[in-house]
Amino acid sequence: MFKIAGAPFSHSRKQTSTLMGLVLLACLPGLLAQTWFFGWGTLVQLLLASATALTCEALVLRLRRRPVLPALWDGSAAVTAVLIGLSLPPFAPWWLVVIGTAFAIVVAKHLYGGLGQNLFNPAMVAYVLLLVSFPVQMTNWLPPLGVRAYELGLWDALSTIFTGLSLDGYSMSQLRLGIDGTTMATPLDTLKTGLTQGLTTGEIMKGSLYQGWGGIGWSWVNLGYLLGGLFLLQQKVIAWRIPVAVLGSLLGASVIGWLITPDATATPMLHLFSGATMLGAFFIATDPVTASTTPRGRLIYGALIGLLVYLIRRVGGYPDAFAFAILLANLCVPLIDSLTRPAIYGQRKGIRK
């Protein structure tokens, strides 16, 4: 006897909490690399962001008279918190992560109706808010392991995050000094600053920060998130189209730019393995709520993000660009989906209701 049922005819059978748990698990390789090279502050920021996210989620759900425990258990707030914690400088002040996470949960998520209703990625909305409002604190990345002048333990991280000074009394400006006595920044930021000063790409990349494809530490961090992204693909948590389109578009644009002006632009490998490239391509751009939903639309959406990342890095005012690129692409999703909607079965070609 056959059972007649309506579409859809297949289901992944994975609950939201299971999917979010797999995303958190996939973050582990990149998280470990980030903690190893940039210090215990990364873990402290994750704990602060998680506590803030769960607290805000519970309070807003109470105000909305919605069940609290099921929503906390689905893991969506935890994933948002982890993405924010991983995106912020490890030794940023505690109030920065609290403000950003609270804004992501209360405004970017629940103001639009909660899980599944938000138009923009909450973590990236929070990141842009903090970057525009507190640019100094958001660019205080410490030198990676191997070129930093001061070694910092867990208690130093806690002291710096909550008081602004390490246990030995060093301020953030002092902690940012490398072993050569110069103030360190991220590889992309250092490159952009050097180019504005008239230096060539080759001269800038002779510095001690640029050992490896994307700079000391940054290459391993991106490889960690790449490994986690491949795990998500293998588990069918995300589809291949968006990350492949993001990385392919960024690679193509950077190769063209580097061939035209090799002395005034970053190398393709630096674009791929520095900054938030792999984290953005596999963990942020693939957000199922704010990304395109059609097969062709996902390719267009991903390619648009990759192109915007390159353009902002190359001619924009910010060294990294994934947050802005993803939010701009989120704006285009309704149009992309409407133009790439598959034809309904039995519908005549060229006719769309």
Side-chain angles (χ1 to χ4, degrees), residues 11-25 57 69-80 109 114-116 118 232 237 287-289:
H11 194 277
S12 67
R13 299 185 183 276
K14 290 180 180 178
Q15 297 181 343
T16 301
S17 57
T18 303
L19 295 175
M20 296 300 172
L22 289 172
V23 172
L24 294 175
L25 181 62
E57 183 94 346
L69 289 180
L72 294 181
W73 183 249
D74 68 22
S76 60
V79 169
T80 298
K109 180 180 178 181
L115 180 64
N118 47 288
L232 293 179
V237 176
D287 176 19
V289 176

Side-chain angles (χ1 to χ4, degrees), residues 21 31 37 45 88 167 199 222 252-253 331 339 349:
L31 168 61
F37 284 100
Q45 303 289 25
L88 298 183
L167 293 178
L199 300 175
N222 276 275
L331 281 172
L339 295 177
K349 187 176 181 181

Side-chain angles (χ1 to χ4, degrees), residues 155-178:
W155 299 114
D156 283 301
L158 289 169
S159 178
T160 305
I161 290 171
F162 286 99
T163 69
L165 297 173
S166 70
L167 293 178
D168 293 327
Y170 294 118
S171 65
M172 277 301 302
S173 59
Q174 293 172 310
L175 293 175
R176 292 183 66 196
L177 294 177

Side-chain angles (χ1 to χ4, degrees), residues 34 37-38 141-142 144 185-188 209 211 213-224 270 272-276 320:
Q34 196 164 325
F37 284 100
F38 295 100
W141 283 85
L142 296 188
T186 64
L188 291 171
L209 185 62
Q211 299 175 23
W213 297 332
I216 292 180
W218 292 97
S219 300
W220 288 103
V221 170
N222 276 275
L223 285 172
L270 185 62
L272 288 180
F273 290 97
S274 190
D320 206 352

